[in-house]
Amino acid sequence: MSIELHCPQCAKLIRAPDDAGGKHGKCPYCECKIYIPTPSDDGETIQLAPIDEQELKREAELRREAIAMESQVAHESAKLPPETGAPPRAARSQPTETPGEVIDTAAQVQRFLI
């Protein structure tokens, strides 16, 4: 089996013999000096870590708690009276300019600081 690589200069595919791995050579097309990498062992397998059943149970319980808390907060916020006075923060932060309009950022910063 041969080592396949691309020349960094001309990008042509080069096939070198296995015993050339780890050495320098010249590209047969443009004669650029290149490094021929050593061949990789594709037969080596990587072992996965075992599944931790306790961690999976903790994650599922945390998800259930988060969903319960979110529904409780939504239910309690529905009971609150509507706010009066200043508009909600999200409504204030939306741009009031039209597309293509020149924006005076100094005036916006000044309004923000006041």
Side-chain angles (χ1 to χ4, degrees):
M1 188 170 175
S2 61
I3 302 170
E4 292 185 351
L5 65 138
H6 289 276
C7 173
Q9 184 76 24
C10 65
K12 299 270 186 172
L13 178 65
I14 301 169
R15 288 189 179 97
D18 285 339
D19 61 345
K23 299 177 184 176
H24 289 276
K26 285 188 177 182
C27 173
Y29 303 103
C30 68
E31 298 190 6
C32 171
K33 185 176 179 181
I34 58 172
Y35 174 75
I36 303 167
T38 57
S40 63
D41 291 335
D42 291 333
E44 185 179 325
T45 59
I46 300 173
Q47 297 295 324
L48 299 176
I51 296 174
D52 185 6
E53 296 294 331
Q54 293 296 331
E55 184 178 349
L56 292 176
K57 288 178 183 177
R58 283 191 300 265
E59 288 175 1
E61 182 62 31
L62 286 173
R63 274 194 296 275
R64 281 193 292 274
E65 286 179 19
I67 292 170
M69 290 286 264
E70 185 177 340
S71 65
Q72 182 180 2
V73 167
H75 180 70
E76 289 177 3
S77 65
K79 291 180 183 179
L80 295 175
E83 292 184 19
T84 58
R89 184 177 182 98
R92 285 185 279 151
S93 66
Q94 301 213 356
T96 58
E97 296 82 15
T98 58
E101 181 181 353
V102 177
I103 302 170
D104 183 12
T105 55
Q108 287 184 348
V109 169
Q110 189 177 15
R111 275 187 278 156
F112 175 76
L113 292 174
I114 293 174

